[in-house]
Amino acid sequence: MPHPDHSLNLLSNVPIAKKQAHILNAHNKTRVDNYYWMRDDERLNEHVLAHLHAENTYCDKQLAPIKPLQNTLFEELKARIVKDDNSVPVKDGKYWYHSEVRGDDEYSRHYRSTSIEADNKELLLDINVLAAGFEFFELGEVALSPCEQLMAYSEDTEGRRIYLVRFKNLETDEMLPDVLENTEGQVVWANDNKTVFYVKKDLKTLLGYQVFRHELGSEQSQDVMVYEEQDSSFFMGLGKSRDESLIIIDLASTETNDTWVLDANKPTGEFEALMPREDGHEFDVDKLGDTFYIVTNWQAKNFRLMTATNETIADKTQWFEHTAHRENVLLEGVELFNDFLVLSEREQGQSRFVVVNRQGNCMALEFADPCYYAAIAMNPEPETRTARIYYSSLTTPGSLYDVDLTTGEKTLLKQQKVLGSFNADDYQSERLMVTARDGIKVPVSVVYRKDSFKKDASNPLFQYGYGAYGYTIDPSFSSSSLSLLDRGFVYVIAHVRGSEMLGREWYEQGKKEHKQNSFSDFIDVTKALVAQGYCDSNKVFASGGSAGGLLMGAVVNQAPELYCGVGCHVPFLDVLTTMLDESIPLTTNEYDEWGNPNDQQFYDVIEAYSPYDNIRAQNYPNILVTTGLHDSQVQYWEPMKWVAKMRELKTDSNILVFKTDMDAGHGGASGRFKSLEEKALEMAFFIALLN
């Protein structure tokens, strides 16, 4: 482990938190939490806030010597971004919709026009105006009425993902008096152009659990609750079927889905279950015309595509199999068009699309890069014969294509422009398979600059990981990573178990009782890359956020000697205590991911790796921790407690700094430039440690 850069301050006035013993008992086991007092649900406790401010002051002083480097990096990141930029117009109904951003504006403006050339564009929303006066602002969802003359949009001004919904008359350009508070942010219009549905949140658990019907012109207090979910392990969302005939309530726990529907032409009717709820049945359903399309795990771990009618949808034994289950191919979704289906699939970690026409003929759309990210883009009109597809790789900036669904021919509509000296040919990407300690091969995506990389154990390396919820971190282009690549770093994504990179089994082998696999995979990837000469063993850096922050917390407990510096962002660190407390937002939704520690089996599993519970007297890497005071997903006190306990027990003199954004939530700072400051800070922290 190298010593910290002596240009960094090693200050003696480290914030030392008071210790106040809090006894936690479960399963005849006792834990003593000396920093439990840091939890303040209201975020008003003066002692808590004072300690957070002290940590921020210490962080600023500790990192003051790298402030010039951070500023340099920030200007680099900012200089690569095109200041005046437009999105590609998307046709939906009578209009073409697009957004524009100009100059140093943090936010975009949304327009529509009657032609793709946007020669008669009409301003719908100026987010810069909406965000004025707020330290944080996030636009949630924008929803146009079927007649296209009324608009609903949602906004979050705290970062807690609690949205306020407002309405605008686009014919008169006037705001309507209707305001809907404490929502999930989604708004779905009935086909009568005057009724909307929305999900209301429980302000304590932050779970959406009730669906309300609102009629324009009425007070929110008069809204009618049309559905309430009693099982707090389910997340709730709203949508509309592809043919706009149904309003859909989507309910999803980690391992079970449920769907309720209402005729969009009869908004005062009652929602009905589309099929019986069945534990362990995961599915996604959509409807076009007379046919339901169901991507389901019923007798299909990697999912298959089934079809049904109104008469057969409630009985899955009467469904018709359209695309069979395959052991080595994960079916991720389907996009419906009048004359085509586009299947999103993943095999050996690589995404692809398969176009199926009405005659059942299939055509695969594939890409040449060794590792890449591809996704179906916005395709609001099912009658089209072309599909919008987004593509990016570690060396290819984000690109939007129109794909002819008959021939497969791709037409590039726009590629992200990277200002400055960027040349894709200067960089090389690789896909590796690293053998983990149990013999399983772990996919690894690697990119580096050709003229600075030598496989001689000399390069610094930055390794990123996540590994939870089945969420796959695909290898896509990041203009900000160029600042590391151009300084000789090798950039790595370790696709550890817990994602669905290699199918559903890959996810299941990284959750609950198998969670340790995620941590072991990440560590084993680091060891393999060092052994193969991809990097200098003294110049390895790692980073992760949220569940990836949990990954970082476990890794630095289990293999601290491997890493020079670690970035730990909005991290989930106090897993055992949080999962035992159902009053903490979102806890009950997580039981199927981590296990319910009220069951001793899972108590023991979580206790064995929970980062907060496993800090011990040993040397740790240099660590930068960040969070948001208003984080709704991972509460601020988790990293706060973790840092305090680590300060108490760690035996090294390496840097440990903790920065709390007092205005932001889980997503960090808002705005296209302000958010770059956080990236520049982490990069500066790592680069300075090389000296």
Side-chain angles (χ1 to χ4, degrees):
M1 174 67 62
H3 293 293
D5 179 356
H6 293 295
S7 68
L8 292 170
N9 287 329
L10 294 176
L11 304 176
S12 58
N13 58 334
V14 178
I16 302 299
K18 68 177 181 179
K19 294 171 65 174
Q20 183 175 313
H22 182 85
I23 308 302
L24 297 163
N25 292 304
H27 306 297
N28 296 316
K29 293 186 176 184
T30 298
R31 290 179 297 137
V32 179
D33 187 348
N34 290 320
Y35 303 106
Y36 190 90
W37 64 268
M38 292 178 168
R39 174 179 174 178
D40 172 28
D41 292 0
E42 302 301 321
R43 290 154 172 80
L44 297 174
N45 184 289
E46 60 183 30
H47 299 294
V48 170
L49 295 176
H51 190 78
L52 289 173
H53 283 300
E55 286 281 9
N56 281 349
T57 299
Y58 175 75
C59 179
D60 291 342
K61 290 181 178 178
Q62 181 87 302
L63 301 184
I66 68 170
K67 187 65 175 178
L69 175 58
Q70 181 188 350
N71 291 339
T72 296
L73 290 163
F74 174 72
E75 292 302 327
E76 279 184 21
L77 302 184
K78 190 174 178 180
R80 293 193 190 104
I81 296 176
V82 176
K83 288 193 172 185
D84 297 339
D85 203 7
N86 299 350
S87 68
V88 177
V90 175
K91 190 173 187 298
D92 186 6
K94 296 180 292 185
Y95 296 95
W96 294 82
Y97 294 85
H98 77 283
S99 63
E100 299 179 5
V101 65
R102 293 287 178 263
D104 291 326
D105 286 347
E106 290 281 0
Y107 303 96
S108 60
R109 296 173 179 82
H110 293 257
Y111 296 90
R112 71 178 181 184
S113 60
T114 54
S115 69
I116 192 172
E117 292 80 14
D119 47 12
N120 60 344
K121 65 185 181 184
E122 166 192 0
L123 178 65
L124 302 180
L125 285 176
D126 185 341
I127 312 306
N128 298 282
V129 173
L130 299 180
F134 295 105
E135 288 295 325
F136 177 92
F137 187 90
E138 180 183 54
L139 180 69
E141 185 172 287
V142 177
L144 277 295
S145 62
C147 68
E148 301 180 81
Q149 296 308 316
L150 299 170
M151 176 178 65
Y153 68 90
S154 57
E155 58 184 36
D156 173 14
T157 57
E158 286 190 346
R160 295 280 286 167
R161 300 184 181 178
I162 301 172
Y163 293 89
L164 188 76
V165 177
R166 300 185 187 276
F167 295 85
K168 185 177 182 180
N169 185 320
L170 300 181
E171 285 189 302
T172 64
D173 201 36
E174 294 176 333
M175 297 298 299
L176 301 182
D178 304 67
V179 175
L180 307 178
E181 298 180 335
N182 303 326
T183 83
E184 280 278 11
Q186 299 168 309
V187 181
V188 176
W189 290 86
N191 291 342
D192 64 356
N193 296 296
K194 65 178 183 180
T195 306
V196 297
F197 294 84
Y198 63 95
V199 175
K200 199 166 188 179
K201 278 197 168 186
D202 182 314
L203 296 184
K204 183 177 181 180
T205 65
L206 297 186
L207 291 172
Y209 71 113
Q210 296 172 327
V211 178
F212 280 83
R213 182 178 69 233
H214 174 80
E215 186 170 324
L216 291 184
S218 63
E219 297 291 330
Q220 187 178 13
S221 60
Q222 298 176 305
D223 291 353
V224 178
M225 186 177 70
V226 294
Y227 182 87
E228 182 172 18
E229 178 54 46
Q230 301 295 329
D231 188 337
S232 60
S233 68
F234 280 82
F235 287 104
M236 178 183 290
L238 282 177
K240 212 168 186 182
S241 61
R242 181 67 158 159
D243 60 8
E244 300 190 348
S245 67
L246 297 176
I247 295 168
I248 298 174
I249 300 174
D250 285 313
L251 300 161
S253 68
T254 304
E255 297 179 343
T256 303
N257 290 88
D258 193 10
T259 297
W260 291 63
V261 298
L262 172 70
D263 187 333
N265 293 310
K266 300 176 181 178
T268 59
E270 294 186 3
F271 279 88
E272 296 181 350
L274 197 60
M275 65 189 79
R277 182 180 295 186
E278 181 181 340
D279 288 345
H281 186 202
E282 297 178 63
F283 65 90
D284 185 50
V285 62
D286 204 349
K287 177 177 176 288
L288 185 62
D290 296 327
T291 306
F292 287 94
Y293 295 84
I294 313 105
V295 177
T296 173
N297 73 340
W298 174 47
Q299 299 178 349
K301 176 172 283 195
N302 278 333
F303 295 84
R304 55 178 172 162
L305 179 63
M306 310 288 282
T307 61
T309 64
N310 280 318
E311 291 71 33
T312 62
I313 184 62
D315 181 4
K316 64 180 186 292
T317 64
Q318 297 188 58
W319 294 355
F320 176 79
E321 184 174 79
H322 181 282
T323 302
H325 173 259
R326 290 151 293 172
E327 291 294 333
N328 298 317
V329 178
L330 176 68
L331 177 60
E332 295 186 314
V334 60
E335 187 85 343
L336 307 180
F337 299 90
N338 288 351
D339 296 318
F340 305 90
L341 303 180
V342 180
L343 308 179
S344 296
E345 300 181 345
R346 188 183 296 271
E347 184 172 13
Q348 289 298 306
Q350 297 285 43
S351 299
R352 68 167 178 242
F353 305 111
V354 177
V355 181
V356 185
N357 64 19
R358 283 194 170 274
Q359 290 71 46
N361 299 318
C362 298
M363 173 179 60
L365 305 176
E366 297 179 325
F367 304 91
D369 282 308
C371 45
Y372 58 83
Y373 168 64
I376 300 292
M378 288 185 63
N379 294 279
E381 298 198 315
E383 63 269 19
T384 183
R385 301 186 69 82
T386 61
R388 291 257 172 108
I389 288 179
Y390 177 85
Y391 176 80
S392 174
S393 77
L394 292 173
T395 59
T396 307
S399 307
L400 190 66
Y401 291 91
D402 260 350
V403 178
D404 188 308
L405 295 176
T406 302
T407 66
E409 181 181 354
K410 302 184 189 76
T411 301
L412 179 64
L413 301 176
K414 183 175 183 177
Q415 185 173 86
Q416 173 190 353
K417 190 174 182 180
V418 182
L419 300 180
S421 59
F422 171 73
N423 181 349
D425 293 335
D426 292 338
Y427 304 88
Q428 178 67 47
S429 65
E430 298 181 27
R431 165 60 59 86
L432 308 176
M433 298 298 287
V434 166
T435 303
R437 64 192 66 180
D438 60 357
I440 297 295
K441 293 188 180 298
V442 180
V444 182
S445 299
V446 179
V447 64
Y448 48 78
R449 190 177 172 99
K450 294 176 183 177
D451 58 10
S452 63
F453 175 72
K454 294 182 177 61
K455 209 170 178 180
D456 61 355
S458 64
N459 292 85
L461 180 141
F462 173 89
Q463 182 173 319
Y464 178 80
Y466 187 75
Y469 305 107
Y471 181 70
T472 300
I473 304 294
D474 281 295
S476 60
F477 184 81
S478 167
S479 65
S480 61
S481 69
L482 298 176
S483 289
L484 291 178
L485 298 177
D486 291 348
R487 286 172 172 83
F489 277 75
V490 177
Y491 180 86
V492 172
I493 305 173
H495 304 289
V496 301
R497 278 171 278 190
S499 74
E500 287 187 339
M501 176 60 77
L502 296 183
R504 190 65 177 182
E505 181 71 11
W506 197 249
Y507 169 41
E508 294 179 355
Q509 288 300 307
K511 64 185 283 196
K512 295 170 83 169
E513 67 268 27
H514 304 297
K515 188 60 201 169
Q516 177 58 39
N517 286 333
S518 301
F519 316 136
S520 299
D521 287 353
F522 194 89
I523 292 166
D524 293 346
V525 166
T526 301
K527 290 179 177 179
L529 293 172
V530 169
Q532 294 176 33
Y534 277 88
C535 59
D536 183 331
S537 62
N538 291 318
K539 299 178 180 179
V540 179
F541 302 88
S543 182
S546 194
L550 163 61
L551 177 65
M552 294 301 104
V555 163
V556 297
N557 279 335
Q558 296 177 23
E561 73 284 355
L562 294 180
Y563 304 97
C564 175
V566 171
C568 200
H569 308 295
V570 292
F572 183 32
L573 298 165
D574 193 14
V575 185
L576 189 56
T577 301
T578 293
M579 294 307 299
L580 283 166
D581 190 343
E582 295 184 8
S583 71
I584 293 175
L586 309 183
T587 289
T588 53
N589 295 80
E590 304 286 297
Y591 287 153
D592 288 335
E593 180 69 26
W594 316 108
N596 184 348
N598 293 298
D599 177 338
Q600 184 164 351
Q601 173 197 353
F602 288 113
Y603 181 100
D604 294 340
V605 167
I606 296 171
E607 184 183 37
Y609 70 74
S610 177
Y612 181 69
D613 293 288
N614 285 278
I615 298 173
R616 60 185 185 273
Q618 65 176 352
N619 287 354
Y620 281 90
N622 302 283
I623 302 175
L624 168 66
V625 186
T626 64
T627 194
L629 180 63
H630 299 288
D631 195 328
S632 60
Q633 309 300 109
V634 180
Q635 307 304 309
Y636 75 87
W637 58 79
E638 297 213 10
M640 186 182 184
K641 290 169 58 176
W642 186 73
V643 168
K645 187 175 181 180
M646 182 167 286
R647 289 201 196 286
E648 175 191 352
L649 295 178
K650 77 190 192 85
T651 56
D652 58 82
S653 60
N654 289 325
I655 297 168
L656 173 60
V657 286
F658 174 41
K659 190 173 185 66
T660 302
D661 188 324
M662 305 302 283
D663 300 306
H666 196 64
S670 60
R672 61 173 178 156
F673 296 128
K674 187 177 180 182
S675 61
L676 297 179
E677 294 177 5
E678 297 174 357
K679 295 180 181 179
L681 175 63
E682 180 179 80
M683 285 191 275
F685 181 70
F686 290 162
I687 293 168
L689 291 169
L690 294 174
N691 298 329

